[in-house]
Amino acid sequence: MLVFSAANVSEGRRSHVIAAIAAAVCTRPAVSLLDLHSDPDHNRSVFSVAGPPAAMSEAMFALIQGAAQHIDMERHEGQHPRIGAADVVPFTPLQGSTLAQCRDLARGLCARVGGELQLPVYLYGAAARSPDARQLADIRRGGYEGLRIAIDKDERRRPDCGPSTMGRGGAVAIGAREALIAWNVWLDTADVQVARRIARRIRASGGGLPALQALGMRVAGRAQVSMNLTDYRRTGLAAVMAALRREARREGVNLYGSELVGLIPRAALDAATGCDLQLLKSPCEQVLERRLVETGLIRSDRLR
């Protein structure tokens, strides 16, 4: 039985801090670090980790603890929205596990982090306790700075576990969800307002494509549309690329190139066969199933 996590940490610049957090994760037995993606402009790193459920809970606790020790949110700045040092820790079912088991794993880790580390913790996705599950975008509204002010004043923003106060480690969102694809596409302009208009029109909340989240920002001197495909079976890479090209033409700009952040299910990439995703590097090393086999977590004949 395996569980996967693409944990997002608010550090993408200091290599010694990133290495220390990775080391804390890798010392947990039976757990493998499949991929590590760091971005200095976002000032964020994505740790793609997989292993048995109990071991994954230990590994993610170590990641959250390490991030809170090494990262001071009072000094943190970056393009990506964030509320804490260990910003987001999702659990995703893999071989033999279920979303319900990931939900229980997330809730157990929530209680432990809130109690032992005294960090505010928010449950989201399938792990949320209320029927109207908290959305990650709602939890991160206003970022670290906004949540620090609202956390003990607005009852709707009280954490599920831990104190209603924000220290230098900030807060953490822990959730359970199905596979998500993180994808960044650059435009051939530095005008960030163009990226923001495109993001607003294509994302689900703006009446665009279902199961698509998108933000516009400036990264590496270019405007970027940063996206999450929360259900690639409903809205795949090819559909998103078609929408991006349409909206870019409307703005009078072209797409410059794109990158996948972390790992991607093989089925999502196969579904986009024949579509030029304008990836700046080959995605072969970012196929989730390939990395699971290469690290010995599963045998190639056990791929589902």
Side-chain angles (χ1 to χ4, degrees):
M1 187 184 296
L2 293 176
V3 169
F4 174 76
S5 182
N8 286 237
V9 170
S10 296
E11 179 58 67
R13 299 170 183 172
R14 296 178 296 164
S15 58
H16 68 284
V17 171
I18 297 167
I21 296 170
V25 170
C26 292
T27 56
R28 270 49 192 181
V31 165
S32 292
L33 179 61
L34 306 179
D35 185 77
L36 175 54
H37 180 281
S38 297
D39 186 297
D41 289 285
H42 286 249
N43 201 5
R44 192 174 186 84
S45 293
V46 179
F47 294 75
S48 297
V49 186
M56 281 294 290
S57 180
E58 291 293 330
M60 292 301 100
F61 182 86
L63 178 140
I64 294 167
Q65 185 177 45
Q69 288 173 345
H70 290 289
I71 300 168
D72 184 353
M73 292 305 296
E74 293 289 334
R75 299 183 176 186
H76 183 273
E77 56 181 27
Q79 292 294 322
H80 203 284
R82 78 286 183 271
I83 57 170
D87 189 53
V88 183
V89 177
F91 289 105
T92 297
L94 284 181
Q95 194 93 7
S97 63
T98 66
L99 191 59
Q101 289 167 326
C102 289
R103 174 201 64 204
D104 295 341
L105 205 59
R107 290 178 178 179
L109 183 60
C110 172
R112 186 180 178 195
V113 169
E116 294 184 32
L117 301 182
Q118 285 295 290
L119 293 173
V121 185
Y122 294 86
L123 290 167
Y124 77 98
R129 298 191 188 280
S130 59
D132 54 337
R134 273 177 166 148
Q135 299 297 311
L136 195 52
D138 295 332
I139 294 170
R140 286 204 299 230
R141 185 175 296 113
Y144 167 79
E145 294 79 8
L147 183 58
R148 184 181 55 185
I149 295 170
I151 192 169
D152 64 344
K153 295 182 173 62
D154 186 345
E155 191 165 334
R156 295 169 299 178
R157 305 205 71 183
R158 298 281 170 83
D160 292 286
C161 300
S164 293
T165 56
M166 298 273 279
R168 61 188 294 273
V172 57
I174 300 177
R177 58 164 173 76
E178 296 291 351
L180 174 149
I181 298 170
W183 189 26
N184 297 327
V185 177
W186 282 275
L187 310 175
D188 67 352
T189 178
D191 188 348
V192 70
Q193 295 304 324
V194 173
R196 288 173 180 164
R197 287 194 296 269
I198 291 174
R200 201 159 44 236
R201 292 196 295 263
I202 67 170
R203 65 192 177 208
S205 63
L209 295 170
L212 179 67
Q213 301 166 341
L215 292 171
M217 54 189 71
R218 184 181 291 111
V219 176
R222 294 182 186 273
Q224 182 189 86
V225 182
S226 180
M227 300 169 289
N228 286 336
L229 284 68
T230 60
D231 185 346
Y232 67 85
R233 294 176 181 86
R234 292 181 67 197
T235 298
L237 295 166
V240 176
M241 180 55 82
L244 284 167
R245 289 199 173 108
R246 181 187 67 244
E247 296 302 330
R249 286 195 299 271
R250 181 175 168 183
E251 292 285 347
V253 300
N254 294 313
L255 306 185
Y256 172 77
S258 78
E259 67 169 355
L260 294 167
V261 178
L263 301 179
I264 180 171
R266 184 177 58 190
L269 207 54
D270 288 348
T273 299
C275 175
D276 181 8
L277 301 177
Q278 294 186 229
L279 291 166
L280 297 177
K281 71 173 187 177
S282 169
C284 292
E285 296 296 325
Q286 292 176 268
V287 175
L288 173 60
E289 291 85 352
R290 175 174 176 169
R291 292 295 298 136
L292 290 169
V293 171
E294 289 174 344
T295 54
L297 285 173
I298 62 173
R299 301 198 312 263
S300 58
D301 62 346
R302 294 289 298 275
L303 289 176
R304 64 182 184 186

